[in-house]
Amino acid sequence: MALSRREFVQLAVAMGASLAWGGSARASTSDWHERRDLYPEGVASGDPDPTSVILWTRRPFESGGRRVLTVEIAEDDAFRRVVAKASAPVSAESDWTTRVLVGHLEPSRVYWYRFTDEDGNGSRVGRTITAPLANDPRPINFAFVSCQDVNEGKLNAYRRMIFEDERAASADQLGFVLHLGDFIYEVVEYPDEVKTRYDRTIYDVGRIPDGGKTGNFHYPLTLEGYRVVYKGYLADPDLQDARARWPFVAIWDNHEFSWQGRQSIVQAGGPPRPGQTVKVAANQAWFEYIPARVKAPSGTLDTFGTVDVKNVPIEKWDDNYLGIEPNNLKAINSLIGYRTFRYGRHLDLILTDQHSFCGDDPTDAEGVDKLVDPSFNGMFSETATIALDAGRTFNGGTPPAELSFGDVTIPNPRKNSAPRTILGADQKKWFLDQLRRSTATWKIWGNSQGALDNRVDPQNLPDGLTKKKWPADTFAVMSTYDWRSAYHERGEIYDLVRDAKITGFAILSGDLHSFWAGYAAAMLPPGKFEPVGLSFVGASLTSPGTMEALEHGLRKDHPLRALFLADGPGRPAGPLTWTNNMLVKHGVRSCLEYAKSFDLKRAHAVSNPDLAPHLEFVDMGGHGYATVRLTSDEMRTEFVCIPRPITRSDRPDGGPLRYRVVHTASLWKPGERPKLRQQVVEGDPGLSI
Ligand SMILES: [Fe+2]
């Protein structure tokens, strides 16, 4: 099964890689002596396949042009059995980073690697693991993570992951880490300008040259700015240790480019504006700092190359919401991040990009703000959202001429519009094709954005709690920017899964800074509830979530406070209980009962069964990581939840756990519904169930 040398050279040429070819093992002859200070961002590896992996480091030199490092890869951490040795060029052009593709390795095997400069100054030793062969029937283990804001927290979760993995039996150790985005937050606070946010300490990440500013947030507009942020993040010792222990497979979310941005439009809390040069800069920095099998415009893995674009407004859009302005097209295509991995017999991992080709949020359309009643604290009509999302395709091509909410009526601004897209036409076609062609037991969609509906039932609120009553004929959604309300497009995907009788379909997401477990279903009641797969969201490693924002921002006397927070015996421990988790899973009646009696049984007795048949678990205040184990007949997903990571734990295990919860599904047959079994292994998940 191993690639021949010629095939590997062809692969390397196609990727533009500096390459190393593995061979028979012999003892290292390099004069490596460790100088971690000269490799301030550590080492990393990425995108393993059964015979090759990309190795990464950064070795800055004060001046001069290109320098050449040596990389060695060995079967042992003492480098007595070195199987490959190669040159790894660094230069100012790539900010002194290097990527080397090493091939002719054995499948499913742990290797160690290290870099050495011409004077023998060596990097730390990294560990990496190749993928199993496509017919390997053994179980697959990996972790998925997202949202590592080191400006506002510490990465105790990685410390915990390392601690547990080091102690696991080798068959249970993680093969790789799937990073679902917000590897950096481009919006950076400076500790000398702002000391805290919520209860968070602001930690120094760096100073962004020539950037912009919204409120307390500085953000990059140039390549140098993004590079500063990556270096600031990679200064974190736990992140460095994690990258040195496992290969990472990464896809960006929004913050690798711009908060609220899409395609090449920069927003970052201000008005949207053209940012073609900014998108290219963000892509280049991602390419330089995240080793991945992606193709740079240069055609090489050494340097990104030049992409000549100007920041000009996008005036024309095609029918799939693609900005057909040439600079926009060049910028968003300067790095294609979506790609697939085969990993043993049981995993096809399909990664998609939710931002580079994304259309606008249909609820931003003209006049829609009139349908918002702010006294409902962010709730928006689900009926209106479904119509806006579908545009002209609503109800078989009969969109309503008007949309209404209570006594307000507006003309339907999307009556003649195409349905909304997050993937864009080309990527969607590619994605559906990958799904159709997948032959692995489990088809895992690595998708940065959450896909489980976040809806509530304010129609069941008792009279008198709000000035106006919520209309009886619609649920409310709490967010509209992502898959949670992209009904039409996710429907196209889920319909394919159903119609092609694809089993073992599961979604893994990040972005929401919260843990969710449930089912992939295009519609909820009163629509046809038809789950076709599993869907999970992994909490943030560090970044503040919804509960933190509510604890600090929701007025004590807000009439709907009990739906989000209950002032009383805290679950989790503290003076407050997060009723918001109950709101999303059980509805308003349960929350009001719980805030009055603090009696879980009584609260669950008035649960609304139509609200959330798609959910088994939701914790809007969770932090930590998740692990997945895949076998021929089962998917097991474990949420490892830690307390709010405000300061670095001084314990080797990263500090205490809040809880560990496992959701397991047996592989279902075509046409059957997937079903999760839930087990609280330790700790207290509060009102998440
Ligand atoms: Fe995030």
Side-chain angles (χ1 to χ4, degrees):
M1 282 294 287
L3 291 181
S4 71
R5 182 179 178 93
R6 210 188 67 201
E7 286 165 333
F8 177 70
V9 170
Q10 281 168 351
L11 169 73
V13 167
M15 289 177 64
S18 307
L19 68 151
W21 175 252
S24 54
R26 57 191 69 163
S28 172
T29 53
S30 83
D31 56 351
W32 173 90
H33 49 273
E34 190 175 273
R35 281 290 304 273
R36 288 195 188 202
D37 57 314
L38 297 178
Y39 297 80
E41 289 75 28
V43 296
S45 67
D47 288 15
D49 76 9
T51 60
S52 67
V53 64
I54 303 174
L55 306 177
W56 178 96
T57 196
R58 177 170 182 270
R59 167 69 174 99
F61 288 87
E62 271 172 21
S63 58
R66 191 171 183 268
R67 306 287 188 100
V68 180
L69 312 177
T70 302
V71 62
E72 296 168 283
I73 183 158
E75 291 172 354
D76 64 321
D77 58 359
F79 290 79
R80 287 193 195 93
R81 297 193 306 279
V82 174
V83 295
K85 194 171 167 177
S87 303
V90 295
S91 66
E93 215 184 326
S94 61
D95 206 18
W96 305 105
T97 61
T98 186
R99 288 144 292 280
V100 183
L101 180 71
V102 183
H104 204 232
L105 302 172
E106 298 288 324
S108 204
R109 171 155 201 161
V110 174
Y111 287 95
W112 282 266
Y113 62 94
R114 64 188 185 191
F115 293 85
T116 313
D117 72 13
E118 286 138 334
D119 299 319
N121 300 309
S123 71
R124 66 183 293 170
V125 171
R127 172 184 177 271
T128 192
I129 313 155
T130 47
L133 289 172
N135 60 359
D136 189 328
R138 288 174 294 176
I140 304 294
N141 297 292
F142 66 96
F144 68 98
V145 300
S146 58
C147 299
Q148 54 189 30
D149 187 347
V150 298
N151 200 199
E152 298 189 341
K154 292 296 179 187
L155 289 165
N156 299 332
Y158 277 138
R159 178 111 338 255
R160 161 66 64 170
M161 242 167 84
I162 293 167
F163 183 87
E164 296 201 356
D165 198 52
E166 282 175 346
R167 282 154 187 80
S170 69
D172 297 330
Q173 285 182 332
L174 304 171
F176 64 96
V177 175
L178 171 61
H179 200 299
L180 290 166
D182 291 358
F183 191 96
I184 58 160
Y185 283 76
E186 95 294 6
V187 281
V188 173
E189 298 149 290
Y190 297 170
D192 52 312
E193 290 180 2
V194 49
K195 293 245 168 320
T196 56
R197 192 163 80 97
Y198 307 142
D199 289 333
R200 305 277 189 146
T201 304
I202 302 305
Y203 297 104
D204 191 31
V205 164
R207 296 289 179 278
I208 295 170
D210 308 315
K213 196 176 180 202
T214 306
N216 290 328
F217 292 107
H218 299 260
Y219 55 88
L221 294 167
T222 64
L223 173 60
E224 228 15 73
Y226 283 101
R227 285 171 167 175
V228 162
V229 183
Y230 278 96
K231 281 176 275 203
Y233 270 62
L234 286 168
D236 185 278
D238 292 317
L239 175 55
Q240 281 196 20
D241 286 356
R243 294 228 298 180
R245 179 165 179 80
W246 301 287
F248 274 50
V249 173
I251 186 70
W252 53 75
D253 193 40
N254 59 332
H255 283 290
E256 282 86 346
F257 166 49
S258 177
W259 176 36
Q260 303 157 325
R262 65 185 181 89
Q263 298 193 26
S264 65
I265 301 164
V266 171
Q267 191 158 352
R273 57 197 189 282
Q276 284 88 339
T277 62
V278 187
K279 176 69 174 172
V280 171
N283 281 350
Q284 177 163 348
W286 191 91
F287 169 83
E288 288 172 347
Y289 282 88
I290 312 276
R293 285 177 205 257
V294 289
K295 184 133 190 175
S298 69
T300 79
L301 268 185
D302 291 353
T303 55
F304 184 75
T306 351
V307 182
D308 203 11
V309 290
K310 285 197 271 301
N311 294 327
V312 291
I314 302 171
E315 273 151 7
K316 280 195 193 139
W317 304 82
D318 74 8
D319 203 36
N320 295 297
Y321 299 98
L322 181 68
I324 50 177
E325 191 285 316
N327 294 274
N328 180 57
L329 294 175
K330 249 193 193 174
I332 62 181
N333 288 304
S334 64
L335 193 67
I336 298 297
Y338 57 84
R339 60 202 195 278
T340 59
F341 292 88
R342 177 63 184 237
Y343 208 87
R345 182 179 290 180
H346 304 308
L347 172 59
D348 269 323
L349 176 60
I350 312 173
L351 299 180
T352 56
D353 171 354
Q354 278 58 244
H355 298 280
S356 302
F357 315 99
C358 181
D360 53 355
D361 178 339
T363 63
D364 290 339
E366 207 187 328
V368 176
D369 52 331
K370 296 193 183 77
L371 301 181
V372 177
D373 180 342
S375 61
F376 286 95
N377 202 36
M379 298 176 193
F380 185 74
S381 160
E382 186 191 48
T383 307
T385 311
I386 292 171
L388 288 161
D389 174 77
R392 64 177 181 243
T393 68
F394 182 81
N395 193 28
T398 54
E402 295 176 327
L403 299 173
S404 52
F405 177 76
D407 48 17
V408 184
T409 297
I410 61 162
N412 177 1
R414 303 275 280 202
K415 186 164 57 91
N416 300 314
S417 307
R420 159 220 216 147
T421 182
I422 288 176
L423 296 178
D426 290 352
Q427 184 182 201
K428 181 159 56 194
K429 188 168 173 292
W430 170 88
F431 177 65
L432 295 176
D433 196 44
Q434 296 301 315
L435 261 183
R436 224 179 265 124
R437 286 167 35 180
S438 169
T439 54
T441 313
W442 297 93
K443 295 89 184 166
I444 306 281
W445 180 13
N447 156 11
S448 63
Q449 290 184 339
L452 288 161
D453 296 58
N454 179 8
R455 74 168 187 176
V456 296
D457 59 349
Q459 66 272 34
N460 294 332
L461 284 168
D463 291 347
L465 211 52
T466 48
K467 262 190 219 135
K468 283 189 191 168
K469 239 186 121 39
W470 187 270
D473 58 355
T474 180
F475 284 91
V477 295
M478 299 295 292
S479 43
T480 55
Y481 70 90
D482 59 9
W483 291 111
R484 289 174 291 175
S485 52
Y487 309 95
H488 180 88
E489 191 164 58
R490 74 184 191 189
E492 289 177 77
I493 297 163
Y494 300 167
D495 285 356
L496 168 76
V497 173
R498 181 197 59 205
D499 298 342
K501 301 200 178 335
I502 295 170
T503 63
F505 171 66
I507 305 173
L508 303 179
S509 315
D511 178 51
L512 299 183
H513 307 178
S514 45
F515 282 117
W516 301 60
Y519 307 99
M523 299 305 284
L524 298 180
K528 192 172 181 196
F529 177 61
E530 204 175 30
V532 297
L534 307 170
S535 190
F536 300 94
V537 182
S540 74
L541 288 159
T542 56
S543 316
T546 302
M547 294 321 305
E548 209 163 337
L550 287 166
E551 284 177 17
H552 291 271
L554 185 64
R555 284 188 352 247
K556 283 262 179 205
D557 61 348
H558 195 289
L560 299 182
R561 183 172 170 88
L563 306 186
F564 303 96
L565 288 167
D567 299 272
R571 289 189 72 182
L576 293 169
T577 292
W578 298 342
T579 43
N580 198 358
N581 292 337
M582 184 177 263
L583 174 69
V584 178
K585 189 153 161 28
H586 296 281
V588 298
R589 288 180 178 132
S590 293
C591 293
L592 294 172
E593 174 57 44
Y594 192 82
K596 199 165 60 185
S597 64
F598 289 91
D599 183 328
L600 202 56
K601 251 198 185 143
R602 286 172 68 163
H604 283 171
V606 288
S607 174
N608 179 353
D610 289 335
L611 173 65
H614 64 305
L615 288 181
E616 297 287 358
F617 187 94
V618 53
D619 182 5
M620 311 271 264
H623 299 282
Y625 62 93
T627 62
V628 174
R629 181 177 179 82
L630 303 172
T631 67
S632 57
D633 55 7
E634 196 174 86
M635 174 172 181
R636 179 186 188 277
T637 307
E638 178 171 309
F639 293 159
V640 183
C641 180
I642 60 167
R644 204 166 281 171
I646 295 174
T647 55
R648 192 186 306 281
S649 166
D650 53 13
R651 289 169 36 170
D653 65 358
L657 293 189
R658 262 188 61 214
Y659 59 77
R660 187 191 305 272
V661 171
V662 171
H663 289 92
T664 310
S666 300
L667 183 66
W668 55 95
K669 294 196 176 64
E672 277 180 7
R673 278 190 182 190
K675 181 69 195 149
L676 288 166
R677 302 182 297 278
Q678 185 176 68
Q679 189 195 0
V680 179
V681 178
E682 60 178 296
D684 178 8
L687 304 190
S688 299
I689 294 167

